[in-house]
Amino acid sequence: MSLATIVSSGVKHDYLAEAEALKVEAFKFMENDELDKAHERLVKAIDIYRRFKGQEARISLCLYELSISYFNQRDLNAVQDILKDMEHLSHAYPRNPSVLYDYYSVLGAYGH
């Protein structure tokens, strides 16, 4: 099924609802220190959001949450990888304040 078929058939809403549910699950797993499960759900949510236009702020939020989790684990290599994704997103959407805020927040924390 092509993306055009997905969007025109009304399935877009179902995919976005799935991504939102994955994000909620991820936050619950983070609260319970089940970080592998949380990270897995955030990555899946990002993959879904990337299929649709206009989801850059949601992608950015997921990347931000991943980076904070990796900061807490002191895994700076993972943070560096996420920063690359955030940088690409910020270049693609230079006028989106949410994307820029998330990117520069993580970049500032990483730099210190």
Side-chain angles (χ1 to χ4, degrees):
M1 182 182 293
S2 74
L3 183 59
T5 306
I6 291 170
V7 173
S8 66
S9 68
V11 179
K12 175 181 176 181
H13 175 74
D14 294 340
Y15 276 107
L16 294 178
E18 178 185 348
E20 287 297 314
L22 286 165
K23 221 168 52 176
V24 169
E25 284 181 17
F27 294 144
K28 289 179 182 176
F29 281 124
M30 282 186 184
E31 289 175 1
N32 294 322
D33 289 328
E34 296 180 70
L35 300 179
D36 288 341
K37 291 179 182 178
H39 295 172
E40 176 186 323
R41 275 140 181 103
L42 286 171
V43 169
K44 284 181 182 179
I46 290 167
D47 289 342
I48 293 170
Y49 288 135
R50 284 189 171 146
R51 296 180 192 175
F52 303 101
K53 291 182 180 181
Q55 302 305 311
E56 58 275 358
R58 288 185 172 99
I59 295 167
S60 183
L61 177 62
C62 291
L63 290 169
Y64 178 85
E65 292 297 332
L66 278 171
S67 68
I68 297 305
S69 180
Y70 284 122
F71 268 124
N72 289 338
Q73 295 177 54
R74 309 290 192 259
D75 187 346
L76 296 182
N77 290 328
V79 174
Q80 188 176 22
D81 290 340
I82 293 167
L83 267 171
K84 290 175 189 174
D85 286 341
M86 295 178 90
E87 181 181 22
H88 292 302
L89 196 62
S90 72
H91 287 296
Y93 301 96
R95 295 178 189 244
N96 186 311
S98 297
V99 170
L100 296 175
Y101 177 84
D102 292 343
Y103 171 59
Y104 287 116
S105 294
V106 174
L107 183 63
Y110 183 79
H112 292 329

